[in-house]
Amino acid sequence: MSTNVFDEQRVKAPPVLFSYGFRPFFLLAGLSAAALVPLWVCVATGAFGLGGSIPPSGWHAHEMLYGFAVAAIAGFLLTAIPSWTGSVAVKGKPLMALVALYLAGRVASLPALADSVPAALIDLAFLPALGSLVAAPLIKAGKARNTAFLALLGLLTLANALFRLEWLGVTQATAQLGIALAIGIVLQMVTVIAGRIVPSFTQNALRQKEPTLVITPLPHLERAVLVLTALLIPADLLLPGSVATGALALAAAVAHGVRVSRWKGLHTLSQPVLWILHVGYAWIPVALALKGLEYAFGLPLGRAWLHALTAGAFTTMVLAVMSRAALGHTGRMIVVSRTTVAAYALVLLGATARTLLPMLPDGAWTPVLHSAGALWTLGFALFLWVYVPVLTGPRADGRPG
């Protein structure tokens, strides 16, 4: 009888790819990263055009945010929230429907289709749908710091609407506001999530060799980091490029720098799965410092801060979290392979090259852009090589999920 029950449960189980949220969305994030950047390099260097009426640079920003970053955010939230709240993970048909909506949004964002109302509505529906699936367990858990993620998803939806309204011809110059708002919200998410996982993962791992190691939080510092980062959002919307915004960015850079310096990053050099988290977070104070130097002191850095933040901090943290979580949630040892370490190195080199690009002589622009794109693409190709079998195959320990 127990065998029959086991067989019945196995028959009713969803396909492996849709048994947990990280599986399809981490896969889609990796595929997006590997496809969008080489496509953009070809467009930016004039190899071919995108067609349609959407500005190519606006489309690139939109898809890196709502194609790549949002897929990673969805995978993380659908995986972390069951752990935070003790709720049942979204899986099976609801997860399939959410993935289908995400994919429909990517089609609806193609330049040839993006300037229509139906396309806008399809793309705008994804984040509210994600929010509806995670709202109940977050609200039931009753912790304000968790339910704040619902507000952040709402603001990301608003930022997307600012893109779409301009593309529909309803407004003018709101896509740039959408970019600023979306980047600010993603930075806030990274700041909150990293503050939870980086010191915790680091301390738990290092205590095996250093039992007395403790990473003591400083509540005043944590509040300062969160407040300064949050204040950058209205500053970028209302006072873009101003001295005041630059000063705020410098203050936030110092706070983030002090924060990451206390997380014992130098103790993690023998464990790539840990040091990549520290390196990814360290891009944040670098990016904010570049932003502050440009805005407050007028240094001609060509908005190098933008790609230090997006290609550097956001992308490295996404890669770090995906590579770690995929192992842990599929019953594998949390030790990354040499191929994954090579992926880390390539993406970091690509981010560095892209950050330095605005400060290089004009003659270096095209070859360095090609190099940055190639490094990024190869890095994510290696990630996919290692993790497609992990994300699409059964757990190593035979358990469901």
Side-chain angles (χ1 to χ4, degrees), residues 52-390:
S53 61
I54 306 304
S57 60
W59 175 85
H60 169 63
H62 183 272
E63 286 308 286
M64 293 308 298
L65 287 165
Y66 291 94
F68 167 61
V70 161
I73 290 168
F76 176 83
L77 292 178
L78 291 169
T79 306
I81 287 172
S83 298
W84 295 343
T85 63
S87 59
V88 177
V90 176
K91 59 185 176 181
K93 291 182 179 179
L95 182 55
M96 293 179 193
L98 190 64
V99 170
L101 185 57
Y102 166 87
L103 292 173
R106 306 288 52 78
V107 174
S109 298
L110 293 172
L113 303 174
D115 57 353
S116 70
V117 172
L121 294 176
I122 290 169
D123 187 41
L124 287 168
F126 176 75
L127 287 170
L130 172 63
S132 70
L133 290 175
V134 301
L138 285 177
I139 294 171
K140 187 176 180 180
K143 293 183 179 180
R145 68 172 189 168
N146 288 339
T147 54
F149 281 100
L150 298 177
L152 294 175
L153 291 176
L155 288 172
L156 271 180
T157 304
L158 173 61
N160 196 6
L162 292 172
F163 277 97
R164 291 288 175 172
L165 287 171
E166 181 176 330
W167 292 356
L168 290 171
V170 176
T171 60
Q172 293 183 348
T174 56
Q176 193 60 44
L177 292 176
I179 293 171
L181 178 57
I183 288 174
I185 295 303
V186 174
L187 174 57
Q188 192 73 15
M189 284 185 168
V190 172
T191 299
V192 171
I193 292 167
R196 296 186 186 188
I197 67 173
V198 178
S200 174
F201 290 166
T202 301
Q203 181 169 283
N204 291 341
L206 295 182
R207 271 189 168 179
Q208 298 175 18
K209 294 183 178 180
E210 303 177 55
T212 60
L213 186 144
V214 177
I215 300 175
T216 306
L218 294 179
H220 293 302
L221 175 62
E222 292 301 305
R223 282 193 290 271
V225 168
L226 293 173
V227 169
L228 288 169
T229 306
L231 288 175
L232 279 170
I233 298 172
D236 280 325
L237 294 175
L238 301 175
L239 300 168
S242 68
V243 172
T245 300
L248 183 59
L250 287 172
V254 172
H256 279 280
V258 173
R259 188 193 206 197
V260 71
S261 72
R262 301 187 68 261
W263 287 346
K264 313 291 185 183
L266 292 178
H267 293 250
T268 69
L269 297 180
S270 63
Q271 300 185 51
V273 75
L274 287 177
W275 63 246
I276 190 62
L277 288 165
H278 292 261
V279 173
Y281 192 88
W283 274 102
I284 294 178
V286 170
L288 295 178
L290 290 171
K291 183 176 186 175
L293 291 172
E294 181 172 343
Y295 289 1
F297 296 100
L299 295 183
L301 301 180
R303 287 166 59 89
W305 68 267
L306 180 61
H307 285 93
L309 189 60
T310 54
F314 295 173
T315 300
T316 307
M317 289 300 293
V318 163
L319 187 59
V321 170
M322 292 197 307
S323 56
R324 180 192 179 94
L327 295 175
H329 285 279
T330 57
R332 291 168 168 81
M333 292 183 62
I334 305 179
V335 178
V336 293
S337 66
R338 291 182 179 179
T339 304
T340 304
V341 176
Y344 293 164
L346 289 165
V347 170
L348 287 170
L349 287 171
T352 302
R354 186 61 187 87
T355 298
L356 293 174
L357 184 61
M359 296 179 277
L360 297 177
D362 291 343
W365 193 87
T366 298
V368 173
L369 181 63
H370 277 294
S371 298
L375 289 164
W376 165 293
T377 304
L378 182 56
F380 274 98
L382 291 181
F383 167 80
L384 291 168
W385 177 267
V386 174
Y387 282 91
V388 166
V390 173

